[in-house]
Amino acid sequence: MPTPCPPHKDKTNITPVEDRVNMINLAIEKNNGLEFCDFELHREEPVYSADTLTELKEKYPDDKFYFII
């Protein structure tokens, strides 16, 4: 799940979000158990993973989420 602009990174030297979206989709395309999510791309900055996980769990209480780095 890409974020528009990670708060811990230098905003002048970040890979364009379109490229990061494409990299994620290429990485998961052969794994039916994984699904691309653009949830963070629709949020206001700054975006923190802990907040995203909390919101996803509230929105989808019956689903399991895994943090893969």
Side-chain angles (χ1 to χ4, degrees):
M1 177 183 315
T3 188
C5 190
H8 63 286
K9 293 199 175 184
D10 177 6
K11 291 166 184 32
T12 62
N13 189 23
I14 191 165
T15 303
V17 71
E18 297 84 15
D19 292 344
R20 291 183 280 131
V21 166
N22 289 334
M23 286 187 279
I24 292 168
N25 282 320
L26 284 170
I28 67 173
E29 72 182 354
K30 294 182 181 176
N31 188 325
N32 293 333
L34 299 177
E35 180 180 336
F36 176 80
C37 179
D38 64 355
F39 186 78
E40 287 191 353
L41 295 178
H42 302 288
R43 293 182 51 201
E44 298 292 322
E45 292 185 68
V47 178
Y48 295 94
S49 298
D51 297 331
T52 298
L53 290 171
T54 298
E55 289 182 37
L56 285 170
K57 194 61 182 163
E58 289 172 1
K59 188 171 182 176
Y60 306 102
D62 297 328
D63 292 342
K64 290 183 180 182
F65 296 95
Y66 299 89
F67 195 75
I68 302 171
I69 303 174

